[in-house]
Amino acid sequence: MAAGSDSEEEEELVSYGAALQPLQEGERPKKPVPLQEQTVKDAKGRYQRFHGAFTGGFSAGYFNTVGTKEGWTPSAFVSSRQKRADRTVLGPEDFMDEEDLSEFGIAPKDITTTDDFASKTKDRIKEKARQIAGVVAAIPGTTAFDDLIGPSKITVGVELLRKMGWKEGQGIGPRVKRKPCRQKPDPTVKIYGCALPPGMSEGSEEEEDEYQPENVTFAPKDVMPVDLTPKENVHGLGYKGLDPSQALFGVSGREHLNLFTGGSEETSNLLGDLRHSKGRKLGITGQAFGVGALEEEDDDIYATDTLSKYDTVLKDEEPGDGLYGWTAPKQYKSKKRPEREFKYIGKVLDGFSLASKSSIAIKVYPPPQLPRNYRPVHYFRPVIAAGKENSSLQKALEESTGKLGSDAAQHSRHALDAAQRRELLGETGLKGPAPSVLEYLSEKDRERLKEVKQASEQQMKAKPVAQQPQNRFQPAPPEDASPRWQMVLGEQLANAAPSDFKPFARNPEKQKRYENFVKSLKQGEKDALERFLDPSMTEWERGREQEEFVRAAMFYRSSNSTLSSRFTRAKYEDDVDKVEVPRDQENDIDDKETAVKMKMFGKLTRDKFEWHPDKLLCKRFNVRDPYPDSSIVGLPKVKRDKYSVFNFLTVPEPTTSTTQATNKQIQESNSHNKPKKPSRWDVSDKEKEKKDSISEFISLARSKADVQQQPPVPAPEKCATGPSETLPTEVTNEGKDQEEESKRPPMDLFKAIFGSSSDEKSSSSEEESDEEQQATTSVMESETTKQADKPDSSSSSVQESVAAATEPGAASLSASKQELDEAEEFGPKLPPAFSSGRFCKLSDRKEKHRKTREKHKAKKEHKRKKEKKKKHKKQKNKGKHKNKKSEKDSSSDTTESSDSSDMDTTGLSPKELLRR
Amino acid sequence: GSIDSTVRCWDCRSRRPDPVQVLDEAKDGISSVKLSAYEILSGSVDGRVRRYDLRAGQLYSDYIGSPITSVCFTKDGQCVLVASLDSTLRLLDKDTGELLGEYTGHRSTTYRLDCVLSEQDTHVGCASEDGHVYFWDLVEGSLVLSLPVGTGVVQSLAFHPSLPCVLAATQGQVTLWREETFQPEGDPD
């Protein structure tokens, strides 16, 4: 079926040109002939010459030589003595080349119409030229006489027509009985001059027009041949130049003495008053000063009478109406006159003639219809703040300016971007590489943001200028210690080029606010932030957003390089289906960034790849080739379909998991900051106040240590919020757990698919976070005393690290104390509620942790070994320390066997010894 | 190391002009390259320290965040010192990538400045943009000494591999620093 239709299609196809011959196997395609080598040859195989001897080209006989194929031989002498009689006269053709005689030569030998058969219109130009020549000639008029004397050449066509009874000036066709259509004055023709006497009005004319001789048939009107001469000059339309006859003799062409018309004077009168021009002198004269009203110009008696004034050809005299010729009945002629006069009574100005055709009325097109709601006044939009009380006014304004329509269009289906559509559909976001800081927010937080967004939607919609005035009345947010970071940031941003770094791309309003913030920060405004925050937000929300902005602005620079690092030159050709993708890629940097910020170097910041050194390189380094039988050099690559989904899926996998982990960490670090439930925020004013104090404190701490951003947060919170906060935290943690769990299945799926290629690190970090959560929950369950519950339930990673730091101190309390001091000095702050007395307990609990964790591990049956996990755990803890000593200890732990890691404290690794 | 974000390895013994291997993993210019017996260590402006282990056939990439100006191995080959443009020196464990120490106090925000380790790995040194050379105790992390070398940026700094001897260059001037007890060889005293 398909084949049948194919063949049909082929039949229907139209092909142009000759198809290329199919290439033979092994045959190399012919190279195209370069332009300079392309030649044209004639039928005989000679080089084609495009110019003959008579047309300016060099032309030699045979291949540009004077010879022939046989060489050059002069023609043999032939005596012409006997052949004088039949000696032919040589014409120019005898000396011409073939090229000259060819189609484009000077004397083409193709069939053309001879003069006899040529149409008459063709030689009009010639005739005109002859006339002019006759006028300008030394003895003017000679050519005219030539015409009179010499036999006029009549073409065959005319001759034939004449024989059939045709007379010149008449149309061709059967004679008609009825009178030809009278030229009625066009109704659109304007009639100048005063009104006609009643006798001369149309009615009388009509009556007169009725005159029709009996039994007279008329030849049809001659068709005036259309002048088809193209306009080749640059003169204006209808420009004719100076008529030589007029110029030289001061007589207009129309003034020719009409020898043959009886009423010539009348006609000339009819055509226009020519008395003025009669007085002309030779040469070009004008009436520069005109003739006074009282003067009457006389005829110029000295005007020469020239022959050109006389008509030399018998022809029809009335250019407008050549119907009857000059032999027309007198009545008709006389009758014709009033119509003419009727049209225009006044004098025809010199140089002007009455139009034979009435001008066509200019069609006037109506102007375009204005829209109904158009107002011909430019409206300067007043700056109106989009407040709640102003929104209606704003709307009205927009309506008046027609902005509403565009706004509506903006919200049409097509104007939405993918994210907005997704939001409308209620789908979950893609798990892509974290594009923004927003990624680090929890699900709930995002929900909250969405809510906020929705709440302020109408307000925001029409908000070109933010709520500046409104904000003025708002109490200034708690940001007393802000100047310092402002200075820092301002400096940073001042020399940073504007870029499209969009940390809040998800939330356009927020992004807008952020941009405003950055802009004003660049200009060095102090109160930048307060102004651009959303007034509909609560105090706390604003504080948080402020922090976020500041952080984002801090990120700004490094993120810039981050962005640029995401774009590299194209490494793959576009038209290749398969693409060499590095099997392992360096993970997204966003999470690393946070890790670096938190000084958690180690696993989080490290990427490990298989790398194949060049063989020669190995040789030169005197190292055994690690991959003796691999042919790869560099990072191993995997061929993948270019547009395969899996290409993109592999990358997100590690990032999502790690971001989750880091998310969690961040969250935990300032978990109290986050809203647990939207309902929590309308609890009481008291709590709000408390929150203010918190944020104040936070910002203060932040400005103090702007490098160590994350760690100090939890400490002040804890002291401020107290035990009342613990319960919600639990709830959130559990909720988070559930969320995590619900998210898990797709991850497993990914792992199942990319079991081999999945990053070790990602899985480990995932597990880790998993572990942690599990541990916390289990601990919470197992914990009974409320007092103990307090520090643990928060289960912040920082705390854990603290616990880890103190853990070795289980053996010797004093040592641990010392360590704690150091930890406080360098590392994250400890909750002040901590007392050294609890360390034992803590360590106990820690062990419990470990047990539960291990249990959990066994239950889960991860691919990784226990040892490794433990080690990893250790490392992670270690990473959180800034304390050199504890770090060393823990690192020594790592090097030691994992079993003894809990107890080992004093043993120094050989590395350490070496270092000292 | 090149600004085109590659590290190129040439074979000095052959006369071939093209490199034996091009390490093009970096996303930005390479600011510093160091070699050990079996490793290539490169610091890149993209904020990563990459260590190519030829023996193990592995590439370790450590993310530092800020553009890296200089990297160097410790003498024992266990650690890596990294100087970056956030005015911080970091001592990283080579094997795990953990942070062992952080040294701050100097100023390095725009120039590519050198960092060094003393001949016995006891101290960490780094040039600064304020015309000093700073030395920290490697273990304590405390600032031990700041040598006033000049007024401008100390552009280059080198430590003698076996002697306590520092060479610093600033503003067209090279200064050599020795311990106090040192007597120049040509000196009659």
Side-chain angles (χ1 to χ4, degrees):
Chain A
M1 296 258 283
S5 66
D6 272 356
S7 63
E8 267 175 42
E9 271 177 40
E10 272 173 33
E11 277 167 27
E12 279 172 29
L13 286 174
V14 181
S15 57
Y16 290 99
L20 286 172
Q21 284 191 340
L23 278 173
Q24 295 295 319
E25 189 87 17
E27 188 188 6
R28 292 177 64 195
K30 280 177 194 164
K31 276 184 185 167
V33 184
L35 197 68
Q36 71 271 9
E37 284 173 28
Q38 287 178 0
T39 50
V40 184
K41 293 182 181 174
D42 62 6
K44 290 174 188 168
R46 301 180 303 187
Y47 286 109
Q48 179 76 53
R49 291 166 305 211
F50 297 102
H51 298 287
F54 276 69
T55 43
F58 168 75
S59 163
Y62 180 76
F63 286 98
N64 284 340
T65 67
V66 289
T68 60
K69 204 179 180 183
E70 284 77 35
W72 183 71
T73 42
S75 56
F77 175 74
V78 180
S79 169
S80 57
R81 243 171 78 186
Q82 279 82 33
K83 294 176 194 170
R84 244 167 227 175
D86 50 72
R87 192 179 61 186
T88 52
V89 179
L90 289 172
E93 281 85 2
D94 291 318
F95 302 98
M96 283 184 179
D97 283 325
E98 271 173 58
E99 284 81 13
D100 291 321
L101 298 173
S102 71
E103 194 181 350
F104 304 108
I106 193 169
K109 279 272 168 105
D110 56 347
I111 299 165
T112 49
T113 47
T114 54
D115 261 3
D116 285 345
F117 297 95
S119 77
K120 221 179 150 191
T121 51
K122 201 179 176 184
D123 41 17
R124 254 190 192 181
I125 304 154
K126 263 185 206 168
E127 215 165 297
K128 195 181 174 188
R130 213 180 52 202
Q131 269 180 0
I132 290 166
V135 168
V136 187
I139 310 164
T142 42
T143 49
F145 281 120
D146 275 353
D147 271 1
L148 285 178
I149 296 157
S152 67
K153 214 190 258 177
I154 303 167
T155 59
V156 177
V158 174
E159 210 170 332
L160 281 171
L161 277 172
R162 274 186 183 164
K163 277 181 182 167
M164 287 164 76
W166 174 78
K167 288 193 185 80
E168 270 185 81
Q170 289 179 345
I172 303 161
R175 296 177 77 81
V176 281
K177 169 90 178 171
R178 63 172 282 277
K179 62 169 175 93
C181 197
R182 186 179 51 86
Q183 281 183 324
K184 266 202 167 182
D186 203 302
T188 54
V189 166
K190 295 225 171 96
I191 296 165
Y192 297 100
C194 47
L196 290 163
M200 304 285 261
S201 72
E202 278 190 42
S204 66
E205 192 200 54
E206 279 286 321
E207 196 190 277
E208 271 184 309
D209 221 41
E210 288 301 299
Y211 163 79
Q212 203 165 354
E214 294 294 318
N215 302 323
V216 175
T217 52
F218 297 98
K221 198 182 170 184
D222 196 9
V223 179
M224 282 299 281
V226 183
D227 187 14
L228 291 172
T229 46
K231 181 176 152 27
E232 288 161 324
N233 50 22
V234 289
H235 305 308
L237 264 184
Y239 175 79
K240 280 206 179 113
L242 202 57
D243 188 359
S245 63
Q246 229 179 359
L248 293 171
F249 309 108
V251 199
S252 78
R254 229 176 266 120
E255 253 181 299
H256 288 206
L257 292 177
N258 208 328
L259 297 172
F260 304 101
T261 9
S264 67
E265 276 156 44
E266 283 165 290
T267 25
S268 60
N269 268 345
L270 178 155
L271 288 168
D273 200 320
L274 296 167
R275 270 183 299 164
H276 296 296
S277 55
K278 268 185 185 166
R280 285 266 178 88
K281 295 204 173 89
L282 271 174
I284 305 168
T285 52
Q287 292 199 329
F289 303 99
V291 179
L294 301 171
E295 288 174 44
E296 206 182 87
E297 231 189 20
D298 290 324
D299 288 359
D300 189 8
I301 46 166
Y302 301 107
T304 44
D305 195 8
T306 59
L307 209 72
S308 63
K309 282 182 180 178
Y310 297 90
D311 263 1
T312 55
V313 184
L314 287 176
K315 57 179 182 189
D316 51 302
E317 286 313 304
E318 288 160 79
D321 182 6
L323 188 52
Y324 303 112
W326 57 280
T327 50
K330 267 267 185 251
Q331 297 100 314
Y332 184 77
K333 268 187 147 182
S334 62
K335 181 193 67 193
K336 210 64 179 135
R337 207 171 300 143
E339 192 202 330
R340 284 288 177 114
E341 283 171 353
F342 169 70
K343 260 187 174 174
Y344 183 74
I345 305 166
K347 287 177 181 176
V348 175
L349 280 174
D350 186 23
F352 288 87
S353 63
L354 264 179
S356 57
K357 264 199 237 165
S358 58
S359 66
I360 305 157
I362 302 156
K363 195 166 185 187
V364 179
Y365 294 96
Q369 203 97 49
L370 289 172
R372 252 185 303 134
N373 52 356
Y374 173 72
R375 274 165 221 190
V377 183
H378 181 70
Y379 188 75
F380 293 95
R381 231 177 343 156
V383 177
I384 287 209
K388 268 181 184 122
E389 66 280 353
N390 277 342
S391 62
S392 60
L393 177 56
Q394 182 90 16
K395 212 163 224 170
L397 275 176
E398 268 175 14
E399 249 166 324
S400 72
T401 47
K403 205 190 151 199
L404 202 72
S406 68
D407 216 340
Q410 214 172 45
H411 290 275
S412 77
R413 189 161 55 89
H414 299 290
L416 293 174
D417 64 347
Q420 281 169 309
R421 269 198 300 274
R422 190 181 58 223
E423 245 165 57
L424 282 177
L425 291 170
E427 286 175 357
T428 49
L430 276 176
K431 300 272 190 307
S436 70
V437 170
L438 224 70
E439 276 289 321
Y440 296 116
L441 305 179
S442 71
E443 200 67 40
K444 275 199 187 127
D445 224 57
R446 257 175 260 163
E447 258 173 46
R448 190 188 57 78
L449 277 173
K450 217 183 285 174
E451 271 172 24
V452 168
K453 190 180 157 197
Q454 272 160 11
S456 59
E457 188 83 66
Q458 297 88 355
Q459 204 179 333
M460 295 301 220
K461 226 184 268 175
K463 197 169 74 170
V465 185
Q467 50 305 102
Q468 228 163 290
Q470 240 200 353
N471 251 344
R472 293 259 161 81
F473 304 113
Q474 295 269 338
E479 194 64 54
D480 303 319
S482 55
R484 200 181 145 194
W485 60 255
Q486 270 174 346
M487 292 291 283
V488 172
L489 276 180
E491 270 171 40
Q492 243 183 45
L493 293 171
N495 40 27
S499 77
D500 24 27
F501 166 62
K502 286 201 168 94
F504 308 105
R506 286 264 184 95
N507 190 340
E509 279 94 41
K510 198 167 175 186
Q511 173 67 26
K512 203 167 173 181
R513 264 177 281 148
Y514 172 71
E515 272 162 17
N516 284 336
F517 163 69
V518 169
K519 208 187 288 166
S520 54
L521 210 61
K522 269 188 196 173
Q523 287 155 5
E525 286 177 45
K526 295 276 173 227
D527 57 340
L529 220 133
E530 291 111 67
R531 280 198 340 204
F532 294 113
L533 290 182
D534 191 354
S536 66
M537 285 184 173
T538 60
E539 286 283 308
W540 175 85
E541 278 168 337
R542 244 185 292 165
R544 213 183 53 79
E545 192 166 89
Q546 209 162 4
E547 272 172 45
E548 230 169 55
F549 281 180
V550 173
R551 221 176 305 152
M554 294 253 215
F555 272 139
Y556 184 72
R557 274 200 137 175
S558 46
S559 299
N560 248 355
S561 65
T562 311
L563 282 182
S564 60
S565 76
R566 284 188 191 177
F567 297 98
T568 46
R569 275 163 293 153
K571 281 179 180 165
Y572 319 112
E573 287 166 49
D574 276 344
D575 49 352
V576 183
D577 271 353
K578 295 264 185 171
V579 140
E580 295 248 307
V581 178
R583 204 182 63 192
D584 315 298
Q585 280 186 328
E586 282 168 359
N587 287 346
D588 202 20
I589 314 184
D590 288 357
D591 48 335
K592 297 222 163 91
E593 197 98 45
T594 51
V596 168
K597 281 261 143 49
M598 291 154 80
K599 310 229 168 190
M600 299 195 338
F601 288 93
K603 277 279 169 188
L604 276 179
T605 56
R606 166 153 287 201
D607 291 308
K608 195 168 146 193
F609 307 118
E610 193 179 302
W611 177 70
H612 295 246
D614 194 86
K615 287 198 170 45
L616 188 60
L617 201 68
C618 288
K619 210 192 250 173
R620 292 284 174 264
F621 269 87
N622 203 13
V623 165
R624 194 176 60 86
D625 194 343
Y627 306 100
D629 32 60
S630 88
S631 57
I632 324 167
V633 171
L635 293 179
K637 304 213 158 140
V638 185
K639 275 235 166 175
R640 280 188 190 145
D641 272 349
K642 191 175 185 184
Y643 301 111
S644 157
V645 189
F646 300 116
N647 242 349
F648 304 101
L649 278 178
T650 45
V651 183
E653 191 205 353
T655 45
T656 42
S657 59
T658 43
T659 38
Q660 271 170 20
T662 41
N663 259 356
K664 217 175 91 38
Q665 274 148 11
I666 291 178
Q667 251 184 317
E668 278 168 355
S669 64
N670 45 9
S671 59
H672 295 273
N673 258 350
K674 312 267 164 177
K676 272 71 199 182
K677 291 234 159 97
S679 60
R680 271 196 73 213
W681 297 110
D682 20 44
V683 181
S684 65
D685 288 349
K686 205 174 135 196
E687 204 158 70
K688 245 185 195 173
E689 274 174 25
K690 214 194 258 174
K691 230 122 266 164
D692 283 358
S693 65
I694 296 166
S695 56
E696 208 171 312
F697 189 53
I698 289 168
S699 58
L700 210 129
R702 203 167 288 282
S703 62
K704 260 182 194 163
D706 43 359
V707 195
Q708 298 184 350
Q709 285 233 329
Q710 252 60 315
V713 179
E717 273 164 25
K718 198 144 287 158
C719 68
T721 48
S724 63
E725 297 280 34
T726 51
L727 202 70
T729 330
E730 264 180 47
V731 171
T732 27
N733 275 348
E734 265 163 9
K736 227 183 287 159
D737 249 8
Q738 280 160 9
E739 272 169 21
E740 289 279 289
E741 285 299 333
S742 64
K743 268 179 210 156
R744 188 92 352 105
M747 295 305 297
D748 282 338
L749 193 70
F750 284 137
K751 220 179 279 170
I753 298 169
F754 309 107
S756 57
S757 68
S758 75
D759 201 342
E760 183 123 341
K761 197 203 125 229
S762 72
S763 66
S764 72
S765 63
E766 190 201 358
E767 275 165 34
E768 183 192 346
S769 63
D770 190 25
E771 275 163 36
E772 260 179 20
Q773 278 163 12
Q774 294 286 347
T776 45
T777 44
S778 57
V779 163
M780 274 190 275
E781 276 156 22
S782 63
E783 219 71 56
T784 45
T785 52
K786 205 163 187 197
Q787 187 214 21
D789 194 31
K790 195 187 96 184
D792 230 67
S793 58
S794 71
S795 80
S796 74
S797 58
V798 185
Q799 255 189 318
E800 251 181 6
S801 76
V802 171
T806 51
E807 170 204 339
S812 60
L813 199 70
S814 58
S816 69
K817 225 180 204 171
Q818 196 199 339
E819 270 181 10
L820 177 70
D821 288 343
E822 275 168 9
E824 270 178 331
E825 193 184 331
F826 287 98
K829 276 177 193 164
L830 287 169
F834 264 152
S835 67
S836 59
R838 204 182 286 156
F839 281 142
C840 286
K841 221 175 200 170
L842 255 178
S843 62
D844 280 356
R845 208 180 300 130
K846 194 73 207 172
E847 272 182 10
K848 219 187 272 174
H849 268 229
R850 200 144 286 145
K851 267 178 210 157
T852 49
R853 219 173 274 184
E854 270 164 26
K855 217 188 286 168
H856 173 67
K857 268 178 236 159
K859 205 163 56 190
K860 272 241 170 179
E861 285 185 6
H862 284 305
K863 286 159 233 159
R864 290 179 64 237
K865 285 178 188 167
K866 224 185 228 174
E867 285 174 351
K868 215 169 184 180
K869 227 182 240 177
K870 233 172 219 169
K871 208 186 214 172
H872 168 65
K873 205 172 12 186
K874 281 266 145 202
Q875 282 158 355
K876 196 180 152 275
N877 289 339
K878 226 185 324 170
K880 274 160 213 157
H881 294 287
K882 273 89 220 174
N883 185 351
K884 180 82 195 160
K885 218 161 204 167
S886 63
E887 227 171 72
K888 260 184 235 157
D889 287 348
S890 50
S891 67
S892 67
D893 281 0
T894 342
T895 48
E896 303 282 90
S897 72
S898 61
D899 298 32
S900 62
S901 64
D902 281 4
M903 296 298 140
D904 182 41
T905 45
T906 49
L908 278 170
S909 72
K911 194 167 81 185
E912 289 307 311
L913 287 170
L914 210 141
R915 212 174 276 161
R916 283 167 188 181
Chain B
S2 147
I3 201 159
D4 69 349
S5 77
T6 60
V7 175
R8 283 156 198 266
C9 313
W10 282 276
D11 185 4
C12 295
R13 292 189 200 173
S14 81
R15 286 172 171 271
R16 279 177 58 208
D18 25 315
V20 174
Q21 188 169 11
V22 178
L23 316 176
D24 59 350
E25 278 75 37
K27 304 280 193 304
D28 210 330
I30 305 289
S31 55
S32 175
V33 178
K34 288 277 158 44
L35 294 183
S36 76
Y38 58 93
E39 289 159 314
I40 302 169
L41 185 70
S42 75
S44 167
V45 184
D46 67 0
R48 280 177 186 274
V49 180
R50 289 182 181 75
R51 186 165 61 86
Y52 301 86
D53 192 331
L54 271 83
R55 201 188 278 164
Q58 296 281 354
L59 160 61
Y60 302 93
S61 163
D62 286 317
Y63 183 76
I64 301 298
S66 152
I68 286 151
T69 58
S70 177
V71 288
C72 64
F73 284 111
T74 50
K75 297 288 181 293
D76 63 356
Q78 297 290 315
C79 302
V80 169
L81 186 67
V82 178
S84 56
L85 279 189
D86 53 357
S87 298
T88 314
L89 262 70
R90 291 184 178 85
L91 189 70
L92 300 178
D93 190 295
K94 196 180 77 175
D95 295 323
T96 60
E98 289 159 26
L99 184 70
L100 298 178
E102 238 183 3
Y103 310 98
T104 52
H106 66 301
R107 189 153 59 85
S108 164
T109 52
T110 40
Y111 295 97
R112 189 213 161 274
L113 302 177
D114 284 318
C115 64
V116 292
L117 281 151
S118 66
E119 81 280 6
Q120 283 163 334
D121 277 351
T122 52
H123 289 86
V124 170
C126 186
S128 171
E129 284 164 20
D130 55 8
H132 289 248
V133 173
Y134 288 82
F135 282 96
W136 295 267
D137 188 272
L138 183 132
V139 179
E140 301 288 328
S142 54
L143 188 65
V144 178
L145 175 71
S146 70
L147 279 178
V149 175
T151 50
V153 178
V154 183
Q155 271 138 6
S156 183
L157 182 70
F159 208 94
H160 195 280
S162 56
L163 298 171
C165 171
V166 178
L167 202 59
T170 176
Q171 294 180 322
Q173 183 187 3
V174 180
T175 38
L176 181 73
W177 301 76
R178 290 301 300 260
E179 71 273 16
E180 280 170 22
T181 54
F182 174 70
Q183 298 289 325
E185 279 163 33
D187 219 37
D189 296 340

